Amino acid sequence: MTRLNLVLLIAVLASALYLVRTQYESRRLFTEIDRAGADARKLELENERLQVDRRAQATPLRVEKVAKEQLQMRTATPAITQYVRVKPAASSSGATP
């Protein structure tokens, strides 16, 4: 009888240790999932902020300002526009116009 009690005691202790280990692992994994979710939310917010920044940097007014100030470009006007005329090529058949 005592041998059976000893076997049952060992089985109860083993199952108790297994239960404690399983609960610990479950809590650890839940914490990791929660942390990963928080990181994902941070990355989404950062991505949205960067998209807004990119759109703000690409506005036509800002592009024109950067072109004028940093690249010393100026708006094309008829006074500074040069037109190029292309002369028609002579035909290779030998006929004269």
Side-chain angles (χ1 to χ4, degrees):
M1 218 32 176
T2 52
R3 201 171 262 220
L4 180 61
N5 287 341
L6 186 61
V7 170
L8 290 175
L9 178 65
I10 292 173
V12 168
L13 287 175
S15 67
L17 289 175
Y18 179 74
L19 178 65
V20 168
R21 185 178 184 284
T22 304
Q23 285 180 341
Y24 171 77
E25 190 68 21
S26 173
R27 287 185 186 129
R28 187 183 66 78
L29 291 174
F30 180 78
T31 304
E32 278 186 40
I33 288 172
D34 194 42
R35 197 173 295 138
D39 288 345
R41 285 188 293 277
K42 283 180 189 175
L43 288 174
E44 285 175 12
L45 289 173
E46 180 73 10
N47 184 36
E48 289 176 17
R49 187 187 65 76
L50 289 173
Q51 293 295 331
V52 168
D53 257 359
R54 185 180 64 136
R55 284 192 294 272
Q57 295 291 324
T59 59
L61 191 60
R62 185 180 185 306
V63 169
E64 187 174 341
K65 179 182 174 190
V66 168
K68 284 181 182 178
E69 292 175 0
Q70 293 180 2
L71 302 175
Q72 286 85 36
M73 295 176 83
R74 53 191 166 150
T75 308
T77 62
I80 61 170
T81 304
Q82 295 180 0
Y83 296 96
V84 178
R85 290 193 180 140
V86 179
K87 293 182 181 179
S91 67
S92 60
S93 63
T96 56

